[in-house]
Amino acid sequence: MKPSEANTLSTPSAPSTKLSPKGRQTQRLDKVLTHLGYGSRSDIKKKVKQGAITVNGIRTKDSGMQVHPHDDEIVIDGEQINYREFIYLMLHKPPGVVSATEDNRDQTVLDLLKREHLVFEPFPVGRLDKDTEGLLILTNDGQLSHSLLSPKRHVPKTYEATVSGDVTEQDIEKFAKGVVLDDGYETLPGELTILRKEHQDEEVISYISLIIHEGKFHQVKRMFQAVGKKVIYLKRVQMGQLTLDPLLPIGEYRELTEDELQRLGK
């Protein structure tokens, strides 16, 4: 063996995944790095030829070698990778942006993400109306999405709204029983709180908070229509036990903290 090869690791080609000695799944090196956004498989192959990738301190000669992304120390261009399978983002969705992965006419919430997060192929958990702002979770964890959206779970969602009209104690009582929407559907009970009121040009403007336990199409707006009022501003501030970070600017996002993930049951 040549001296230059003494510190080089080479592994024969193998299937894309197999079980490690610990019983957990290993993956191809190029697959791991591609998943994390370090380039295409051909890019990773070039990096290997340049000697820019080490596994457990040893330069590798095979971009297809099997590694355990959680246990092995993988370094590319001097940067140690932080492998993760799932990503969890909190977005302060702005109005005018649609809660979808793609749209032919409007900007989507994915258009607000950086490439380093887009490589995980996240999707919005549920949706907010185009003109509604506030808390939106984006993830590639289908299990979490299902647990938050399952009709059987009745995960509470808290909204703050500005309503044209005088919201009264009678409205609170009606919401507490459930209201009948324009299509005949009777909603589950909602918890309506009047925060304050003000008069503008002989019109009463009500500022309210509302907790609902389902997510019908335009539900908050339609609930107020059912009692003769109109929502003119709507913001979601909480979903389950997760609250929108008050310091997160509109249109910005960040990854969830460990504490926040625990609140979501992760």
Side-chain angles (χ1 to χ4, degrees):
M1 180 180 290
K2 297 179 182 180
S4 62
E5 296 178 341
N7 194 37
T8 301
L9 179 65
S10 178
T11 301
S13 297
S16 60
T17 60
K18 65 181 182 180
L19 291 182
S20 69
K22 294 184 179 182
R24 295 195 292 182
Q25 202 173 60
T26 63
Q27 299 181 38
R28 288 175 56 105
L29 174 64
D30 53 8
K31 180 180 179 182
V32 171
L33 294 176
T34 297
H35 177 72
L36 293 176
Y38 286 97
S40 64
R41 288 197 175 188
S42 60
D43 293 331
I44 303 305
K45 193 171 185 178
K46 290 178 183 177
K47 290 290 185 182
V48 166
K49 289 182 178 180
Q50 295 167 0
I53 301 177
T54 64
V55 178
N56 298 323
I58 303 174
R59 281 188 294 120
T60 178
K61 292 177 64 178
D62 180 11
S63 62
M65 68 173 291
Q66 291 288 322
V67 296
H68 194 291
H70 293 286
D71 297 339
D72 291 331
E73 180 188 88
I74 303 170
V75 177
I76 178 169
D77 289 331
E79 176 187 353
Q80 183 173 341
I81 73 163
N82 176 26
Y83 181 80
R84 50 201 170 150
E85 182 178 2
F86 298 117
I87 191 169
Y88 306 92
L89 306 174
M90 173 192 293
L91 170 68
H92 188 164
K93 178 193 167 302
V97 178
V98 296
S99 303
T101 55
E102 58 182 352
D103 190 274
N104 293 328
R105 296 178 301 175
D106 298 306
Q107 184 182 30
T108 74
V109 290
L110 292 192
D111 294 326
L112 303 176
L113 305 186
K114 297 177 181 178
R115 181 177 179 275
E116 63 190 85
H117 298 118
L118 285 173
V119 295
F120 289 90
E121 299 183 347
F123 50 85
V125 178
R127 59 181 296 138
L128 288 176
D129 298 339
K130 180 180 175 181
D131 60 350
T132 299
E133 71 169 82
L135 173 63
L136 188 66
I137 301 170
L138 294 102
T139 184
N140 58 346
D141 186 343
Q143 184 176 6
L144 174 66
S145 178
H146 176 74
S147 67
L148 291 175
L149 298 178
S150 173
K152 297 179 180 179
R153 294 286 302 276
H154 300 308
V155 173
K157 305 169 187 68
T158 304
Y159 294 84
E160 293 178 352
T162 304
V163 180
S164 176
D166 186 8
V167 178
T168 66
E169 292 295 327
Q170 288 73 28
D171 294 325
I172 292 177
E173 295 174 4
K174 290 178 182 178
F175 276 49
K177 296 176 182 177
V179 298
V180 178
L181 303 182
D182 48 9
D183 60 357
Y185 177 80
E186 184 174 350
T187 70
L188 293 175
E191 301 169 47
L192 175 61
T193 302
I194 301 170
L195 303 177
R196 62 187 176 90
K197 300 179 185 180
E198 61 183 45
H199 292 268
Q200 296 181 7
D201 299 326
E202 300 183 355
E203 180 184 16
V204 177
I205 302 296
S206 303
Y207 298 87
I208 64 89
S209 172
L210 175 64
I211 301 174
I212 60 175
H213 300 268
E214 53 197 333
K216 299 299 180 182
F217 182 68
H218 292 321
Q219 181 170 337
V220 175
K221 297 174 184 177
R222 293 165 67 200
M223 289 178 76
F224 278 99
Q225 286 176 355
V227 293
K229 280 51 171 213
K230 182 179 180 181
V231 172
I232 55 179
Y233 168 80
L234 185 62
K235 177 180 181 180
R236 183 162 67 194
V237 295
Q238 187 168 341
M239 186 172 185
Q241 297 301 311
L242 181 66
T243 302
L244 177 65
D245 183 346
L247 299 180
L248 187 63
I250 189 167
E252 298 294 323
Y253 72 95
R254 65 165 174 78
E255 295 193 38
L256 295 183
T257 65
E258 288 298 322
D259 178 64
E260 289 169 336
L261 285 172
Q262 289 180 5
R263 293 183 217 166
L264 293 178
K266 297 302 295 181

Short mmCIF file of all heavy atoms in Angstrom, two decimals, residues 51-107:
data_model
loop_
_atom_site.label_atom_id
_atom_site.label_comp_id
_atom_site.label_asym_id
_atom_site.label_seq_id
_atom_site.Cartn_x
_atom_site.Cartn_y
_atom_site.Cartn_z
N GLY A 51 -10.59 14.17 -2.20
CA GLY A 51 -10.17 13.87 -0.84
C GLY A 51 -10.81 14.78 0.19
O GLY A 51 -10.27 14.98 1.29
N ALA A 52 -11.99 15.34 -0.15
CA ALA A 52 -12.63 16.34 0.71
C ALA A 52 -13.59 15.72 1.73
O ALA A 52 -14.20 16.45 2.50
CB ALA A 52 -13.37 17.35 -0.15
N ILE A 53 -13.76 14.38 1.70
CA ILE A 53 -14.71 13.74 2.61
C ILE A 53 -14.01 12.69 3.44
O ILE A 53 -13.29 11.83 2.91
CB ILE A 53 -15.87 13.08 1.83
CG1 ILE A 53 -16.61 14.13 0.97
CG2 ILE A 53 -16.84 12.41 2.79
CD1 ILE A 53 -17.70 13.55 0.11
N THR A 54 -14.21 12.76 4.76
CA THR A 54 -13.68 11.73 5.66
C THR A 54 -14.82 11.10 6.44
O THR A 54 -15.82 11.74 6.72
CB THR A 54 -12.65 12.31 6.65
OG1 THR A 54 -13.31 13.26 7.52
CG2 THR A 54 -11.51 13.00 5.93
N VAL A 55 -14.65 9.83 6.77
CA VAL A 55 -15.59 9.11 7.62
C VAL A 55 -14.81 8.57 8.80
O VAL A 55 -13.86 7.80 8.63
CB VAL A 55 -16.29 7.97 6.86
CG1 VAL A 55 -17.23 7.21 7.79
CG2 VAL A 55 -17.03 8.50 5.64
N ASN A 56 -15.16 9.02 9.99
CA ASN A 56 -14.46 8.65 11.22
C ASN A 56 -12.96 8.95 11.11
O ASN A 56 -12.11 8.16 11.53
CB ASN A 56 -14.70 7.18 11.55
CG ASN A 56 -16.16 6.88 11.81
OD1 ASN A 56 -16.87 7.69 12.39
ND2 ASN A 56 -16.63 5.72 11.37
N GLY A 57 -12.65 10.10 10.51
CA GLY A 57 -11.27 10.57 10.43
C GLY A 57 -10.45 10.01 9.29
O GLY A 57 -9.27 10.34 9.16
N ILE A 58 -11.06 9.18 8.47
CA ILE A 58 -10.32 8.54 7.37
C ILE A 58 -10.90 8.97 6.03
O ILE A 58 -12.12 8.94 5.83
CB ILE A 58 -10.40 7.00 7.48
CG1 ILE A 58 -9.86 6.56 8.83
CG2 ILE A 58 -9.61 6.34 6.35
CD1 ILE A 58 -10.01 5.08 9.08
N ARG A 59 -10.02 9.42 5.12
CA ARG A 59 -10.50 9.83 3.80
C ARG A 59 -11.10 8.64 3.07
O ARG A 59 -10.51 7.56 3.03
CB ARG A 59 -9.35 10.41 2.98
CG ARG A 59 -9.01 11.85 3.33
CD ARG A 59 -8.01 12.45 2.37
NE ARG A 59 -6.71 11.81 2.45
CZ ARG A 59 -6.11 11.18 1.45
NH1 ARG A 59 -6.71 11.11 0.27
NH2 ARG A 59 -4.92 10.65 1.61
N THR A 60 -12.25 8.85 2.47
CA THR A 60 -12.91 7.77 1.75
C THR A 60 -12.64 7.88 0.25
O THR A 60 -12.46 8.98 -0.28
CB THR A 60 -14.43 7.77 1.99
OG1 THR A 60 -15.04 6.73 1.23
CG2 THR A 60 -15.05 9.10 1.58
N LYS A 61 -12.60 6.74 -0.41
CA LYS A 61 -12.41 6.70 -1.87
C LYS A 61 -13.68 6.24 -2.58
O LYS A 61 -13.69 6.14 -3.80
CB LYS A 61 -11.26 5.74 -2.21
CG LYS A 61 -9.90 6.23 -1.76
CD LYS A 61 -8.82 5.23 -2.07
CE LYS A 61 -8.66 5.01 -3.56
NZ LYS A 61 -7.56 4.05 -3.87
N ASP A 62 -14.74 5.95 -1.82
CA ASP A 62 -15.96 5.40 -2.41
C ASP A 62 -17.18 6.19 -1.95
O ASP A 62 -17.55 6.14 -0.78
CB ASP A 62 -16.09 3.92 -2.00
CG ASP A 62 -17.34 3.27 -2.58
OD1 ASP A 62 -17.98 3.89 -3.46
OD2 ASP A 62 -17.67 2.16 -2.14
N SER A 63 -17.79 6.91 -2.87
CA SER A 63 -18.97 7.71 -2.51
C SER A 63 -20.18 6.83 -2.21
O SER A 63 -21.16 7.30 -1.64
CB SER A 63 -19.32 8.69 -3.65
OG SER A 63 -19.65 7.98 -4.83
N GLY A 64 -20.10 5.55 -2.59
CA GLY A 64 -21.22 4.64 -2.35
C GLY A 64 -21.04 3.78 -1.12
O GLY A 64 -21.83 2.85 -0.89
N MET A 65 -20.02 4.05 -0.32
CA MET A 65 -19.78 3.24 0.88
C MET A 65 -20.94 3.37 1.85
O MET A 65 -21.68 4.36 1.86
CB MET A 65 -18.49 3.66 1.58
CG MET A 65 -18.55 5.04 2.21
SD MET A 65 -17.09 5.44 3.20
CE MET A 65 -17.31 4.32 4.58
N GLN A 66 -21.13 2.33 2.66
CA GLN A 66 -22.19 2.33 3.67
C GLN A 66 -21.72 3.05 4.92
O GLN A 66 -20.64 2.79 5.44
CB GLN A 66 -22.58 0.90 4.01
CG GLN A 66 -23.29 0.15 2.89
CD GLN A 66 -24.70 0.66 2.68
OE1 GLN A 66 -25.41 0.99 3.62
NE2 GLN A 66 -25.12 0.73 1.43
N VAL A 67 -22.55 3.96 5.43
CA VAL A 67 -22.25 4.67 6.67
C VAL A 67 -23.50 4.67 7.53
O VAL A 67 -24.61 4.48 7.04
CB VAL A 67 -21.82 6.13 6.40
CG1 VAL A 67 -20.52 6.18 5.60
CG2 VAL A 67 -22.91 6.91 5.66
N HIS A 68 -23.30 4.88 8.81
CA HIS A 68 -24.44 5.09 9.69
C HIS A 68 -24.49 6.58 9.97
O HIS A 68 -23.63 7.12 10.69
CB HIS A 68 -24.33 4.32 11.00
CG HIS A 68 -25.64 4.28 11.72
ND1 HIS A 68 -26.20 5.40 12.29
CD2 HIS A 68 -26.54 3.29 11.92
CE1 HIS A 68 -27.37 5.10 12.82
NE2 HIS A 68 -27.59 3.82 12.62
N PRO A 69 -25.47 7.30 9.41
CA PRO A 69 -25.47 8.76 9.49
C PRO A 69 -25.57 9.31 10.90
O PRO A 69 -25.14 10.44 11.16
CB PRO A 69 -26.69 9.16 8.65
CG PRO A 69 -27.56 7.94 8.63
CD PRO A 69 -26.63 6.79 8.66
N HIS A 70 -26.11 8.52 11.85
CA HIS A 70 -26.23 9.01 13.22
C HIS A 70 -24.96 8.75 14.03
O HIS A 70 -24.60 9.54 14.90
CB HIS A 70 -27.42 8.35 13.93
CG HIS A 70 -28.75 8.72 13.37
ND1 HIS A 70 -29.32 9.96 13.59
CD2 HIS A 70 -29.62 8.05 12.58
CE1 HIS A 70 -30.50 10.03 12.97
NE2 HIS A 70 -30.70 8.88 12.35
N ASP A 71 -24.28 7.64 13.75
CA ASP A 71 -23.16 7.21 14.58
C ASP A 71 -21.79 7.55 14.01
O ASP A 71 -20.85 7.79 14.76
CB ASP A 71 -23.24 5.70 14.81
CG ASP A 71 -24.49 5.30 15.58
OD1 ASP A 71 -25.07 6.16 16.25
OD2 ASP A 71 -24.90 4.12 15.49
N ASP A 72 -21.66 7.57 12.69
CA ASP A 72 -20.37 7.84 12.06
C ASP A 72 -20.11 9.34 12.00
O ASP A 72 -21.02 10.14 11.80
CB ASP A 72 -20.32 7.26 10.65
CG ASP A 72 -20.29 5.73 10.65
OD1 ASP A 72 -19.77 5.16 11.63
OD2 ASP A 72 -20.77 5.13 9.68
N GLU A 73 -18.84 9.71 12.16
CA GLU A 73 -18.45 11.11 12.02
C GLU A 73 -18.09 11.36 10.56
O GLU A 73 -17.09 10.87 10.06
CB GLU A 73 -17.24 11.42 12.92
CG GLU A 73 -16.78 12.87 12.82
CD GLU A 73 -15.48 13.12 13.56
OE1 GLU A 73 -14.40 12.94 12.94
OE2 GLU A 73 -15.55 13.48 14.75
N ILE A 74 -18.94 12.11 9.88
CA ILE A 74 -18.75 12.39 8.46
C ILE A 74 -18.42 13.87 8.31
O ILE A 74 -19.16 14.73 8.79
CB ILE A 74 -20.02 12.05 7.65
CG1 ILE A 74 -20.40 10.58 7.87
CG2 ILE A 74 -19.81 12.34 6.17
CD1 ILE A 74 -21.76 10.21 7.30
N VAL A 75 -17.29 14.15 7.64
CA VAL A 75 -16.83 15.52 7.46
C VAL A 75 -16.66 15.78 5.97
O VAL A 75 -16.03 14.99 5.26
CB VAL A 75 -15.51 15.79 8.20
CG1 VAL A 75 -15.01 17.21 7.92
CG2 VAL A 75 -15.68 15.57 9.70
N ILE A 76 -17.23 16.88 5.47
CA ILE A 76 -17.08 17.28 4.08
C ILE A 76 -16.58 18.72 4.03
O ILE A 76 -17.16 19.60 4.66
CB ILE A 76 -18.41 17.12 3.30
CG1 ILE A 76 -18.24 17.58 1.85
CG2 ILE A 76 -19.56 17.81 3.97
CD1 ILE A 76 -19.42 17.21 0.95
N ASP A 77 -15.48 18.91 3.34
CA ASP A 77 -14.85 20.24 3.25
C ASP A 77 -14.61 20.85 4.63
O ASP A 77 -14.79 22.05 4.84
CB ASP A 77 -15.72 21.19 2.42
CG ASP A 77 -15.71 20.82 0.93
OD1 ASP A 77 -14.71 20.26 0.47
OD2 ASP A 77 -16.71 21.10 0.25
N GLY A 78 -14.21 20.00 5.58
CA GLY A 78 -13.89 20.47 6.91
C GLY A 78 -15.09 20.69 7.81
O GLY A 78 -14.94 21.06 8.98
N GLU A 79 -16.30 20.45 7.30
CA GLU A 79 -17.52 20.65 8.08
C GLU A 79 -18.13 19.31 8.47
O GLU A 79 -18.42 18.49 7.61
CB GLU A 79 -18.55 21.46 7.28
CG GLU A 79 -19.88 21.63 7.99
CD GLU A 79 -20.93 22.28 7.10
OE1 GLU A 79 -20.60 22.71 5.98
OE2 GLU A 79 -22.11 22.33 7.53
N GLN A 80 -18.30 19.08 9.78
CA GLN A 80 -18.93 17.85 10.23
C GLN A 80 -20.43 17.95 10.04
O GLN A 80 -21.06 18.92 10.44
CB GLN A 80 -18.62 17.58 11.71
CG GLN A 80 -19.21 16.26 12.21
CD GLN A 80 -18.75 15.92 13.62
OE1 GLN A 80 -17.75 16.45 14.10
NE2 GLN A 80 -19.48 15.04 14.28
N ILE A 81 -21.02 16.93 9.41
CA ILE A 81 -22.45 16.99 9.11
C ILE A 81 -23.27 16.69 10.36
O ILE A 81 -22.83 15.98 11.27
CB ILE A 81 -22.85 16.02 7.98
CG1 ILE A 81 -22.83 14.56 8.48
CG2 ILE A 81 -21.97 16.19 6.76
CD1 ILE A 81 -23.59 13.62 7.57
N ASN A 82 -24.45 17.25 10.38
CA ASN A 82 -25.42 16.99 11.45
C ASN A 82 -26.61 16.31 10.79
O ASN A 82 -27.49 16.97 10.24
CB ASN A 82 -25.84 18.29 12.13
CG ASN A 82 -26.92 18.09 13.18
OD1 ASN A 82 -27.05 17.01 13.75
ND2 ASN A 82 -27.70 19.12 13.41
N TYR A 83 -26.62 14.98 10.83
CA TYR A 83 -27.66 14.24 10.10
C TYR A 83 -28.97 14.26 10.85
O TYR A 83 -29.03 14.13 12.07
CB TYR A 83 -27.25 12.80 9.88
CG TYR A 83 -28.30 12.03 9.10
CD1 TYR A 83 -28.37 12.14 7.73
CD2 TYR A 83 -29.23 11.22 9.75
CE1 TYR A 83 -29.35 11.47 7.00
CE2 TYR A 83 -30.21 10.55 9.04
CZ TYR A 83 -30.26 10.68 7.66
OH TYR A 83 -31.23 10.02 6.95
N ARG A 84 -30.03 14.41 10.11
CA ARG A 84 -31.38 14.28 10.65
C ARG A 84 -32.30 13.84 9.53
O ARG A 84 -32.14 14.27 8.39
CB ARG A 84 -31.87 15.60 11.25
CG ARG A 84 -31.67 16.77 10.30
CD ARG A 84 -31.67 18.05 11.05
NE ARG A 84 -31.26 19.14 10.17
CZ ARG A 84 -31.68 20.37 10.30
NH1 ARG A 84 -32.55 20.67 11.24
NH2 ARG A 84 -31.25 21.31 9.50
N GLU A 85 -33.23 13.02 9.88
CA GLU A 85 -34.16 12.50 8.88
C GLU A 85 -35.33 13.46 8.66
O GLU A 85 -35.78 13.66 7.54
CB GLU A 85 -34.69 11.14 9.33
CG GLU A 85 -35.65 10.50 8.33
CD GLU A 85 -36.12 9.13 8.79
OE1 GLU A 85 -35.73 8.70 9.90
OE2 GLU A 85 -36.88 8.50 8.03
N PHE A 86 -35.78 14.08 9.75
CA PHE A 86 -36.95 14.95 9.68
C PHE A 86 -36.57 16.40 10.00
O PHE A 86 -35.57 16.66 10.70
CB PHE A 86 -38.03 14.49 10.65
CG PHE A 86 -38.56 13.12 10.35
CD1 PHE A 86 -38.41 12.09 11.28
CD2 PHE A 86 -39.19 12.84 9.15
CE1 PHE A 86 -38.89 10.82 11.01
CE2 PHE A 86 -39.68 11.58 8.87
CZ PHE A 86 -39.52 10.57 9.80
N ILE A 87 -37.38 17.30 9.51
CA ILE A 87 -37.19 18.72 9.80
C ILE A 87 -38.53 19.29 10.24
O ILE A 87 -39.59 18.89 9.74
CB ILE A 87 -36.65 19.46 8.56
CG1 ILE A 87 -36.20 20.88 8.92
CG2 ILE A 87 -37.67 19.51 7.44
CD1 ILE A 87 -35.41 21.56 7.83
N TYR A 88 -38.47 20.21 11.20
CA TYR A 88 -39.69 20.80 11.77
C TYR A 88 -39.51 22.31 11.81
O TYR A 88 -38.62 22.81 12.51
CB TYR A 88 -39.95 20.26 13.17
CG TYR A 88 -39.99 18.75 13.25
CD1 TYR A 88 -38.83 18.02 13.54
CD2 TYR A 88 -41.18 18.06 13.02
CE1 TYR A 88 -38.87 16.64 13.60
CE2 TYR A 88 -41.22 16.67 13.09
CZ TYR A 88 -40.06 15.96 13.37
OH TYR A 88 -40.09 14.60 13.43
N LEU A 89 -40.34 23.03 11.08
CA LEU A 89 -40.21 24.47 10.96
C LEU A 89 -41.46 25.19 11.45
O LEU A 89 -42.58 24.72 11.22
CB LEU A 89 -39.95 24.87 9.51
CG LEU A 89 -38.77 24.20 8.80
CD1 LEU A 89 -38.76 24.61 7.33
CD2 LEU A 89 -37.46 24.56 9.48
N MET A 90 -41.26 26.33 12.11
CA MET A 90 -42.35 27.24 12.46
C MET A 90 -42.25 28.44 11.53
O MET A 90 -41.24 29.13 11.49
CB MET A 90 -42.23 27.70 13.91
CG MET A 90 -43.25 28.79 14.28
SD MET A 90 -42.87 29.59 15.87
CE MET A 90 -43.16 28.22 17.01
N LEU A 91 -43.31 28.67 10.76
CA LEU A 91 -43.37 29.80 9.85
C LEU A 91 -44.42 30.80 10.31
O LEU A 91 -45.52 30.41 10.68
CB LEU A 91 -43.72 29.31 8.43
CG LEU A 91 -44.05 30.40 7.39
CD1 LEU A 91 -42.82 31.23 7.05
CD2 LEU A 91 -44.65 29.77 6.13
N HIS A 92 -44.06 32.08 10.30
CA HIS A 92 -45.05 33.14 10.51
C HIS A 92 -45.54 33.52 9.12
O HIS A 92 -44.98 34.39 8.46
CB HIS A 92 -44.41 34.33 11.22
CG HIS A 92 -45.40 35.36 11.62
ND1 HIS A 92 -45.13 36.35 12.55
CD2 HIS A 92 -46.70 35.58 11.25
CE1 HIS A 92 -46.19 37.12 12.71
NE2 HIS A 92 -47.15 36.67 11.92
N LYS A 93 -46.59 32.82 8.68
CA LYS A 93 -47.08 32.98 7.31
C LYS A 93 -47.64 34.39 7.08
O LYS A 93 -48.45 34.88 7.86
CB LYS A 93 -48.17 31.96 7.02
CG LYS A 93 -48.78 32.09 5.62
CD LYS A 93 -50.06 31.28 5.50
CE LYS A 93 -50.87 31.61 4.28
NZ LYS A 93 -51.28 33.03 4.17
N PRO A 94 -47.20 35.02 6.00
CA PRO A 94 -47.77 36.33 5.66
C PRO A 94 -49.02 36.17 4.80
O PRO A 94 -49.20 35.15 4.13
CB PRO A 94 -46.64 36.99 4.86
CG PRO A 94 -45.92 35.84 4.22
CD PRO A 94 -46.07 34.65 5.14
N PRO A 95 -49.88 37.16 4.78
CA PRO A 95 -51.03 37.12 3.85
C PRO A 95 -50.53 37.20 2.41
O PRO A 95 -49.47 37.74 2.13
CB PRO A 95 -51.84 38.36 4.25
CG PRO A 95 -50.87 39.26 4.93
CD PRO A 95 -49.87 38.38 5.60
N GLY A 96 -51.33 36.64 1.50
CA GLY A 96 -50.96 36.67 0.09
C GLY A 96 -50.16 35.47 -0.36
O GLY A 96 -49.88 35.31 -1.55
N VAL A 97 -49.77 34.61 0.58
CA VAL A 97 -48.99 33.41 0.27
C VAL A 97 -49.86 32.19 0.54
O VAL A 97 -50.53 32.12 1.57
CB VAL A 97 -47.70 33.35 1.13
CG1 VAL A 97 -46.92 32.08 0.84
CG2 VAL A 97 -46.84 34.58 0.87
N VAL A 98 -49.86 31.24 -0.38
CA VAL A 98 -50.74 30.09 -0.24
C VAL A 98 -50.03 28.94 0.48
O VAL A 98 -48.84 28.75 0.35
CB VAL A 98 -51.27 29.60 -1.61
CG1 VAL A 98 -52.13 30.66 -2.26
CG2 VAL A 98 -50.13 29.20 -2.54
N SER A 99 -50.82 28.21 1.26
CA SER A 99 -50.30 27.06 2.02
C SER A 99 -50.31 25.82 1.13
O SER A 99 -51.18 24.96 1.24
CB SER A 99 -51.15 26.82 3.27
OG SER A 99 -51.19 27.97 4.07
N ALA A 100 -49.35 25.74 0.24
CA ALA A 100 -49.26 24.63 -0.71
C ALA A 100 -47.80 24.42 -1.06
O ALA A 100 -46.94 25.27 -0.80
CB ALA A 100 -50.08 24.94 -1.96
N THR A 101 -47.51 23.27 -1.66
CA THR A 101 -46.15 22.99 -2.09
C THR A 101 -45.87 23.57 -3.47
O THR A 101 -44.71 23.81 -3.82
CB THR A 101 -45.88 21.48 -2.11
OG1 THR A 101 -46.86 20.83 -2.93
CG2 THR A 101 -45.96 20.90 -0.69
N GLU A 102 -46.92 23.81 -4.25
CA GLU A 102 -46.74 24.45 -5.55
C GLU A 102 -48.06 25.10 -5.97
O GLU A 102 -49.14 24.68 -5.58
CB GLU A 102 -46.29 23.44 -6.61
CG GLU A 102 -47.23 22.27 -6.81
CD GLU A 102 -46.71 21.28 -7.83
OE1 GLU A 102 -45.70 21.58 -8.48
OE2 GLU A 102 -47.32 20.21 -7.98
N ASP A 103 -47.94 26.14 -6.78
CA ASP A 103 -49.11 26.86 -7.26
C ASP A 103 -48.72 27.58 -8.55
O ASP A 103 -47.63 28.16 -8.64
CB ASP A 103 -49.61 27.85 -6.22
CG ASP A 103 -50.97 28.43 -6.58
OD1 ASP A 103 -51.01 29.42 -7.33
OD2 ASP A 103 -51.99 27.88 -6.12
N ASN A 104 -49.59 27.53 -9.53
CA ASN A 104 -49.28 28.13 -10.83
C ASN A 104 -49.40 29.65 -10.84
O ASN A 104 -48.87 30.30 -11.75
CB ASN A 104 -50.19 27.54 -11.91
CG ASN A 104 -49.91 26.07 -12.16
OD1 ASN A 104 -48.77 25.62 -12.02
ND2 ASN A 104 -50.94 25.32 -12.50
N ARG A 105 -50.11 30.22 -9.87
CA ARG A 105 -50.35 31.66 -9.89
C ARG A 105 -49.71 32.42 -8.74
O ARG A 105 -49.19 33.51 -8.92
CB ARG A 105 -51.86 31.94 -9.88
CG ARG A 105 -52.62 31.44 -11.10
CD ARG A 105 -54.10 31.73 -10.97
NE ARG A 105 -54.66 31.10 -9.77
CZ ARG A 105 -55.91 31.28 -9.35
NH1 ARG A 105 -56.73 32.09 -10.02
NH2 ARG A 105 -56.36 30.67 -8.27
N ASP A 106 -49.75 31.84 -7.54
CA ASP A 106 -49.33 32.58 -6.35
C ASP A 106 -48.06 32.02 -5.73
O ASP A 106 -47.68 30.86 -5.95
CB ASP A 106 -50.45 32.56 -5.31
CG ASP A 106 -51.72 33.23 -5.79
OD1 ASP A 106 -51.63 34.40 -6.23
OD2 ASP A 106 -52.79 32.59 -5.75
N GLN A 107 -47.43 32.85 -4.93
CA GLN A 107 -46.28 32.43 -4.16
C GLN A 107 -46.73 31.43 -3.09
O GLN A 107 -47.78 31.61 -2.47
CB GLN A 107 -45.62 33.63 -3.49
CG GLN A 107 -44.34 33.32 -2.74
CD GLN A 107 -43.75 34.55 -2.06
OE1 GLN A 107 -44.49 35.46 -1.68
NE2 GLN A 107 -42.45 34.61 -1.93
#
